[in-house]
Amino acid sequence: MSEPDDTEDYGLRAFEDLKNAVERSEKSYSAAVGKLPALVKQLEATDAKNTATAQRVENAAQAVTSYIKADRRTLILTCGFGAIALVFCSGLLGDIKGSRTGYAQGFADGQQEAKKRDALAEWAASSPSGHMAYEMDRAGQIQAFGMCKIEGYKIRTDQKGTWCVSVSGGGLMWPITPP
């Protein structure tokens, strides 16, 4: 009988390696198949949470709509706090979707916007100037005032900007911002 040469040993080793690789693949496949039901349950639970959150947002929107016929000050304050609540809901939905960067940016932007709106609502509801501006807006005069379309005033432009000035030369003068 002849001595086995190196090629036969190499072939047997390659075949043995292939057999081991197939066995490892089968084990990995079995492990992955075993985890699928748990992953499906987790995805279903996440879907249920998203549905519940969307329903809460819809209910909040309907509640805000019912306040439209309420007192003006109450409406302004409610909208300010509603905006803050929507910011938190948006942040929650952003976190659920896994967008941490978008969540952080959206939360910061929304919080700044809510603060601005809340400050504006407070000014409009509690200051004499806010009440006067509200009444001027209801009468349709605030746009004419802002665009310098009122009797006795004209628009003047210089290197510092555009101004609304009195025709007589005395009186008030204010800057006009483009619409």
Side-chain angles (χ1 to χ4, degrees):
M1 186 153 131
S2 69
E3 218 30 59
D5 62 358
D6 287 344
T7 18
E8 288 180 20
D9 287 343
Y10 178 73
L12 288 175
R13 273 185 272 136
F15 182 72
E16 188 67 29
D17 289 345
L18 179 62
K19 178 183 152 194
N20 290 338
V22 168
E23 288 175 354
R24 284 192 309 269
S25 295
E26 286 177 356
K27 286 179 185 177
S28 296
Y29 175 75
S30 296
V33 167
K35 292 179 183 177
L36 284 177
L39 290 172
V40 168
K41 286 181 182 179
Q42 184 180 6
L43 289 174
E44 287 173 347
T46 301
D47 182 51
K49 287 179 184 178
N50 287 346
T51 302
T53 301
Q55 185 61 43
R56 287 194 304 265
V57 169
E58 181 181 346
N59 292 343
Q62 288 175 351
V64 168
T65 303
S66 70
Y67 282 113
I68 289 179
K69 296 179 183 172
D71 178 36
R72 184 76 176 169
R73 181 176 181 178
T74 304
L75 177 63
I76 290 171
L77 293 175
T78 302
C79 287
F81 289 116
I84 292 171
L86 286 176
V87 166
F88 286 108
C89 287
S90 297
L92 176 64
L93 289 174
D95 188 48
I96 288 172
K97 295 297 181 182
S99 178
R100 298 233 182 245
T101 303
Y103 165 79
Q105 183 63 40
F107 184 79
D109 291 347
Q111 194 173 31
Q112 289 300 321
E113 181 66 26
K115 285 179 182 178
K116 287 179 190 175
R117 288 179 179 251
D118 194 35
L120 181 60
E122 182 62 30
W123 172 79
S126 64
S127 73
S129 299
H131 287 288
M132 185 179 295
Y134 174 71
E135 292 301 324
M136 285 177 69
D137 188 44
R138 282 185 51 196
Q141 297 173 345
I142 203 154
Q143 293 294 324
F145 182 80
M147 298 303 294
C148 194
K149 295 188 183 217
I150 55 177
E151 189 176 324
Y153 283 85
K154 66 179 182 177
I155 296 175
R156 184 187 79 199
T157 304
D158 60 16
Q159 62 269 41
K160 292 183 181 179
T162 305
W163 301 84
C164 185
V165 297
S166 173
V167 173
S168 66
L172 295 175
M173 176 172 110
W174 61 92
I176 298 176
T177 57

